[in-house]
Amino acid sequence: MSTVPVTPTIPPPRPQIDFPTWLPAMLVKELRQGLRTRGFVGTFVAFQILMALLMMGAAVGSDAMAPGARAGTATAVNGFFWTLLTVQLLVVTPARALGSLQSEIEARSLDLLMLTRLSAWRIVFGKWASLVAQSGLLLVAMLPYGIVRYYAGSVDLVSDAGTCLALLGACAVLTAAGLWSSGTSKLVRVLLVIAMVIGTNVWRAVATGSSAFLTSPFRGMDPTTLGFDGALTLAFFLVAAVRRIAPPAENHAFFARVLPLIAMLPVPLWALAGHATVAGGQFFFAGCFTLLVCATELGSVRTPMVVHLRPWLARGGLAHFVGRFALPGWPSALIYMIVALAAPTLGLMAVPGVVPPHLVMRVAWLGLLALGALTFPVAALAVFERSAARSAGSVYGLVLGGMSVFGAIAAALAAGLPLRYGWIKDFARLLPVSGFWLSLGDTELSDSTMIVQGGLIFAALGFAWWQSHAYWQNLALIESRERKAKL
Amino acid sequence: MSAAPFLVVHNLVRHFGSVRAVDGVSFQIAPGQVVGLIGANGAGKTTMMRMLATLDPPDGGTIHLDGINAVAHPAKIRRRLGWMPDFVGASRDMSVGDYLDFYARAHGFHGRELIRRIADVVQFGELGPLLDRPADALSKGQMQRLSLARTLLNEPEFLILDEPAAGLDPKARIEFKNVIRLLRGRGKTMLISSHILSELGEMCDSLLFMDAGRMMHHGDTDSLRQRDAVAAGAFAINIRVHGDPAALLEWLSVRAGWRLVESRRDGARAAFAGSDPLVLAGELRRLTADGICVTDFHREERRLEEAFVEMLREPAPVRPQRGVAAAEDRS
């Protein structure tokens, strides 16, 4: 480096700026890097070449073909077109997201980013927006072939436009899910890709060359509700990704925990408007969403800091009370879960039309079983809290997953083996997690089973409550210090 | 320190499980001062630097930068500090120009200001010829220049440099020392950690020594080199004479205030009770006046490394009781 001041006659080297300077830093960085990666360039070029060859082949061959054979060619072109788009948007892009945050962690650049004006939100959002924008670019680049197909016949442009939007929407949600899981180990990420391929039915698109699989699971659902639920799921995955990289002083629990409550809001509105089926479907989605959020929230052993409390303390009495439900760590998540599961369940059972009268008791009991299923791993986590501090989420997931697998094995054994093995299923039905899964399929439960199930649920809740005593004591200490400091 | 302190760290504590990584550290840095942070691996240097950089919250104690509480207002502090860790944090498919452009945008600069800031740091770090090179394929020295350029993008007043000279070749080290001088000339307050004590001694106004999470010493290099001597009220003096040293040895044995430590072929090593340089100069005049042909007379100074190692051997300072420390934190 120079120790001699540079004379004014030598102009300083000026950097080349290829993107407008008002564009967000993270988006520009990710676009610069993303557009240069082999993942994007290779896919872009390969898809263009493949579609161009296919179109040329179809155009040359169609003149000499009989009308029936022409229709077959059009179907093949359609299939190929949708397969390429589906693989790109539902597999390649989310798979690229899987390594996105990990690359920042490996480059150790997160600390450097935190010292700038970039927040964890902006980092994650920039990465997500860049990946979705790149997918959009690929989609636009493929559109000319989509329009050429129109001249080959058997193409419904309106339907195709809807499918393209659905694909892009699904891509946005799956990319956010990929970002969420990008901080996990390689094995977990590989398993997630497999789950993604199976879960999205992409294999069906590849096997059948049809786009129908995309819309069939949602057929009959209100498009507004579908978009609303998709947006909530997207927000959940994004905030979960943000929490992976956010510094300990930041608390994103409130945002994550308010999402299931928002999901529940349209249920009474649909019910009161007389759309009982839509209301029921939304109630089912909101219930599953609540379970997902609760499960992720309960797998955390973080302790609250004074900076987490300040916003709630500053707003006075009611906010102070609400703040207890939105602090990091499983004890706060536990009281949130009780409210999040009990209040909507009880409230919606009171709204006529949402839950049929003969199912009211069953829904209430399932809600209680869900509470026990989510609390039981917390009790295990509380025991190993010190040794499992770094991998609390994994420990929680392991207990929850292990017990669920046990329930599935018990059900399979009971179905496929002689009666004398029936006790395994009976035993699994009593335990908190496996009991929840098995009870989903049982229309009638004996009183003795319900007594044991209830007893175990309250035992797990009591134990977790007892274990959370130190957390609340610490919180009271922080609050009293903060009050004294203000005085 | 004459000026009001720029950085005030009081009773800083950070635990990792049962380990006290930083254990009640307190010190102050005046504006424009360059302070070296020295300690063995695991001494708590990086943990303390991360807390000063607002990357880790302390478990106890306070940090004030120019009167602003760093724990309560980290965002305000981040605008005024630059942290240069021992890595550059560059990703794949990113050129040097892209790297600087990204961080300039991340600091919130737009338009002409963005271009000016980048041009300034490119000029300072002589990175012009490297702008199109991949940022992750630079030499160690070039990486350090890039890292420093990134650190200077927001024109911080306080710089935290974590092992900036690690892995640099001798030429790059000399260049780096010059850069520190330049930054000092611009009025930057700096905290520099390093293992190379002699270099820190040259660059820094004062040194902080840490061991096992505690601060062992804070003072200038001379105070460290002469720490034991001052404590004992005596200095070791090396004296060389022309010819037979017998006359010198006899002079030392009869002269008040002197004690022979070791006789040598061409002189002696002796202890003199007193630290006043004028008194010592008078003793030299007396020695020559008594007819002893002195060719060398100098106060013995230990190398910083020796002083540091000796300091580590000393018993640890008494730690205040937990209750007392907690009460101080609260107050």
Side-chain angles (χ1 to χ4, degrees), chain A residues 1-2 32-33 108 111, chain B residues 50 87 92 101 126 145:
Chain A
M1 290 182 206
S2 171
R32 274 189 186 135
Q33 288 182 277
R108 299 163 76 191
D111 285 339
Chain B
R50 287 181 62 83
F87 56 88
R92 283 178 305 158
D101 175 62
E126 293 187 347
R145 278 154 56 189

Side-chain angles (χ1 to χ4, degrees), chain A residues 51 54-55 58 70 73-83 85 142-161 163-164 209 211:
Chain A
M51 283 310 296
L54 197 72
M55 287 293 175
R70 242 182 247 175
T73 307
T75 309
V77 170
N78 278 345
F80 206 75
F81 176 79
W82 287 116
T83 301
L85 267 188
M142 294 282 277
L143 281 184
Y145 303 107
I147 293 164
V148 171
R149 286 182 317 125
Y150 179 72
Y151 294 103
S154 60
V155 172
D156 179 355
L157 275 183
V158 177
S159 164
D160 282 2
T163 309
C164 280
S211 61

Side-chain angles (χ1 to χ4, degrees), chain A residues 222-246:
Chain A
D222 175 64
T224 319
T225 311
L226 200 60
F228 177 74
D229 292 347
L232 284 176
T233 314
L234 174 67
F236 167 73
F237 283 131
L238 284 178
V239 76
V242 167
R243 294 169 87 177
R244 285 209 170 274
I245 59 165

Side-chain angles (χ1 to χ4, degrees), chain A residues 11 17 57 76 97 108 114 126 239 258 265 284 317 337 346 386 391 422 427 432 440 456 477:
Chain A
I17 306 292
R108 299 163 76 191
M114 291 301 166
V239 76
V258 86
L265 284 178
F284 177 73
M337 177 181 69
L346 296 174
R386 278 185 180 276
S391 51
F427 176 67
L440 282 175
L456 282 172
L477 188 70

Side-chain angles (χ1 to χ4, degrees), chain B residues 307-321:
Chain B
F308 177 54
V309 170
E310 274 186 33
M311 194 189 293
L312 294 184
R313 287 195 199 121
E314 290 172 6
V318 178
R319 183 192 298 171
Q321 287 176 357

Side-chain angles (χ1 to χ4, degrees), chain B residues 146-159:
Chain B
L146 176 60
S147 190
L148 188 63
R150 190 228 343 113
T151 308
L152 295 173
L153 271 169
N154 61 330
E155 295 179 357
E157 297 157 70
F158 178 48
L159 287 168

